[in-house]
Amino acid sequence: MTNKMWGGRFKSGPDAIMQEINASIGFDKRLYAQDIAGSKAHAAMLAQQGIISKSDAKEITRGLDQVQAEIEGGQFTFSTALEDIHMNVEQRLKDIIGEPAGRLHTARSRNDQIATDFRLYIRDAVEHLDGQLKGLQLALAEKAESHAKTIMPGFTHLQVAQPITFGHHCLAYVEMLARDRSRLADARVRMNESPLGAAALAGTSFPIDRTMTARALGFDRPMRNSLDAVADRDFVLELLSAAAICATHLSRLAEEIVIWSTTQFRFVKLSDKFTTGSSIMPQKRNADAAELVRAKPGRILGALTSLLVVMKGLPLTYSKDMQEDKEPAFDAIDNLSLAIAAMAGMVRDLVPNAEVMRLAAASGFSTATDLADWLVRTLKMPFREAHHVAGALVALAEKQGCDLPELKLEDMQKIEKRITRDVYKVLTVEASVASRTSFGGTAPANVARQARRWLKLLK
């Protein structure tokens, strides 16, 4: 049999394979709430404009409320033969209220309908992700405040570079996540225009009020061009782009947690909540949650790439290719949301090993830059010369098998005779971090102040 929704042109039904490849109800059914909200706004506008009667609009709203209740209550039967969420809802609406259901689609196409539904969904996703990211920022800022004085090594090339504080490290990710939230907020501003009323592609001859439906659905305004309204998927691409960057940030932190929790580093300890064991090695505690967060960017970047490839060669306006926009986006949103939740749990749960981190920070001649800075400040030495002298002292310490604070003064003076005993005051890791008072630096006072600032903003 032909499809009742569009079968007038066709004498027979689709092949089973055609039906399988064409149907999207298996994944777009999650848009039911947005679809029903859009239909209610459209029906109210049609009645306000005298295009349908107020009694029909009332019946349509009543029926849509019942459809939504059935879906949310698990009593709704989705049909692949009806292709998508729009037709499934409309058919059930017809079963409930009869003839008035057929008037709902006046001055509307599935093209502007799905564009509207998807924008509403992506807008909701942006708000959900933003709330989650705020929660993760809060967890990191709280950890930063608690560990503003906890010394750890800062790394370049994964080698000990200079002493920093654990709180400072946490705040770096707070800043990254702030940019992620800013990108999402920026994308939300651009996506908050309504495609509804663009119809198939050219608009409609009915005297509709697109501003009314836009406002009813929380959009700032209707989109200005009907072709663009149904053809655009920039709003999804922007979300996926922001999601890919955000997932990359989460992955970097996840990688650090994986490294820090190894027996070789022992910088932090994760509890049983976010670790797993081994089926054969009883001693193992694997940071599997962090490893899985580390893997998520592959899926999320893949979703972005997938949609870019789908859209790159499409002429205006709608092509069925665009049905491939939803599954990757849904998967990316779901996985980013899960990754943020897992990371927030790990951050709250992890316990830094302060003594181990301090010992690591004191290794690898990490105060060599402090030594060079002392030579510049005290001996008025040009920095390049000071860098050379400090490097020679590092080589001497390495030869003697000790660290810089353990070098004898007389040995230092063989390399630079003007060095005095005061130099030892800058060679401890505590002195090093305390001296980094420049704006954005790792001095504990700076870190505590920035942590309190973020906590005030976030709370």
Side-chain angles (χ1 to χ4, degrees):
M1 63 182 286
T2 61
N3 189 308
K4 292 181 181 179
M5 296 294 175
W6 48 261
R9 173 68 174 81
F10 295 80
K11 294 181 180 179
S12 63
D15 186 87
I17 293 298
M18 176 59 192
Q19 185 166 297
E20 183 176 350
I21 196 172
N22 192 48
S24 60
I25 189 61
F27 52 84
D28 70 16
K29 61 186 177 184
R30 72 162 70 188
L31 299 174
Y32 75 89
Q34 290 79 15
D35 192 69
I36 289 170
S39 290
K40 286 182 180 179
H42 187 65
M45 181 275 296
L46 293 176
Q48 180 67 32
Q49 296 299 104
I51 299 169
I52 66 173
S53 69
K54 285 183 168 54
S55 61
D56 280 349
K58 186 176 180 180
E59 274 296 282
I60 288 169
T61 299
R62 180 186 68 80
L64 288 170
D65 285 339
Q66 182 175 331
V67 172
Q68 184 159 351
E70 289 177 2
I71 294 174
E72 292 175 349
Q75 291 95 38
F76 192 95
T77 301
F78 292 99
S79 169
T80 302
L82 292 172
E83 294 185 16
D84 55 31
I85 187 60
H86 323 301
M87 289 186 171
N88 271 266
V89 169
E90 187 173 331
Q91 181 59 53
R92 180 58 185 144
L93 180 65
K94 185 177 180 181
D95 294 341
I96 296 169
I97 68 170
E99 184 185 32
R103 296 191 173 92
L104 173 60
H105 210 54
T106 307
R108 186 177 72 170
S109 163
R110 280 193 297 174
N111 290 356
D112 63 333
Q113 191 176 357
I114 188 55
T116 303
D117 292 359
F118 206 14
R119 274 181 189 261
L120 289 171
Y121 184 89
I122 295 296
R123 191 179 70 185
D124 291 344
V126 164
E127 292 171 358
H128 174 71
L129 292 170
D130 179 73
Q132 286 192 295
L133 289 171
K134 181 179 179 181
L136 177 52
Q137 281 183 295
L138 186 60
L140 285 161
E142 288 172 343
K143 196 69 71 172
E145 185 181 41
S146 299
H147 293 279
K149 297 180 181 180
T150 302
I151 294 173
M152 70 174 291
F155 296 93
T156 60
H157 308 278
L158 203 55
Q159 298 186 60
V160 174
Q162 291 178 278
I164 60 170
T165 70
F166 186 70
H168 195 53
H169 200 110
C170 290
L171 288 177
Y173 285 99
V174 175
E175 296 287 343
M176 292 183 211
L177 297 172
R179 294 194 295 274
D180 292 326
R181 292 181 65 196
S182 176
R183 275 182 280 271
L184 289 172
D186 194 41
R188 192 195 186 287
V189 171
R190 271 188 296 279
M191 73 175 63
N192 206 39
E193 295 183 338
S194 174
L196 192 57
L201 75 160
T204 178
S205 59
F206 289 96
I208 63 172
D209 184 347
R210 293 189 61 207
T211 299
M212 178 181 172
T213 51
R215 288 175 178 169
L217 294 169
F219 290 113
D220 294 328
R221 64 190 69 85
M223 295 181 75
R224 288 179 293 272
N225 184 283
S226 61
L227 300 173
D228 182 47
V230 298
D232 171 55
R233 291 299 182 269
D234 289 1
F235 62 99
V236 194
L237 289 168
E238 285 199 65
L239 170 64
L240 292 176
S241 178
I245 296 170
C246 179
T248 301
H249 291 153
L250 297 179
S251 182
R252 295 182 76 176
L253 179 53
E255 167 68 359
E256 292 188 315
I257 290 174
V258 170
I259 292 171
W260 293 345
S261 62
T262 62
T263 53
Q264 291 82 2
F265 271 72
R266 295 187 299 117
F267 281 8
V268 300
K269 182 177 180 181
L270 293 172
S271 76
D272 296 350
K273 295 179 184 177
F274 294 97
T275 55
T276 64
S278 165
S279 63
I280 191 172
M281 294 170 284
Q283 82 284 7
K284 292 295 294 296
R285 182 191 293 276
N286 301 321
D288 280 5
E291 291 175 10
L292 289 165
V293 170
R294 186 176 60 185
K296 294 300 182 186
R299 298 176 71 149
I300 295 167
L301 180 58
L304 172 60
T305 303
S306 174
L307 185 54
L308 284 168
V309 172
V310 166
M311 298 301 297
K312 72 174 182 63
L314 296 186
L316 296 182
T317 54
Y318 182 83
S319 296
K320 197 69 172 184
D321 312 49
M322 290 166 69
Q323 185 167 290
E324 292 295 313
D325 60 356
K326 292 168 199 66
E327 283 183 285
F330 292 157
D331 184 76
I333 292 165
D334 290 347
N335 279 280
L336 180 58
S337 178
L338 182 58
I340 297 169
M343 184 56 71
M346 282 186 284
V347 168
R348 291 190 187 96
D349 190 56
L350 64 82
V351 178
N353 190 336
E355 184 55 31
V356 169
M357 288 198 295
R358 189 206 169 279
L359 288 172
S363 68
F365 315 107
S366 66
T367 56
T369 303
D370 299 276
L371 171 57
D373 289 346
W374 183 88
L375 294 169
V376 170
R377 277 195 311 272
T378 307
L379 305 184
K380 309 304 179 187
M381 191 179 289
F383 182 78
R384 285 301 170 202
E385 184 181 342
H387 186 285
H388 178 79
V389 171
L393 290 168
V394 166
L396 177 62
E398 192 170 40
K399 182 179 179 181
Q400 293 185 5
C402 66
D403 214 329
L404 287 173
E406 296 160 356
L407 280 174
K408 294 179 180 179
L409 179 60
E410 53 266 33
D411 288 338
M412 290 190 187
Q413 290 172 336
K414 290 175 183 176
I415 292 175
E416 171 51 61
K417 64 182 180 180
R418 293 178 294 166
I419 293 176
T420 67
R421 190 165 297 280
D422 282 348
V423 74
Y424 291 103
K425 294 178 182 179
V426 303
L427 296 183
T428 67
V429 290
E430 288 80 9
S432 178
V433 297
S435 72
R436 306 294 167 180
T437 56
S438 59
F439 183 78
T442 192
N446 283 9
V447 174
R449 184 165 52 250
Q450 285 296 326
R452 289 193 298 269
R453 171 186 169 273
W454 273 114
L455 289 170
K456 183 178 179 180
L457 288 171
L458 294 166
K459 289 182 176 179

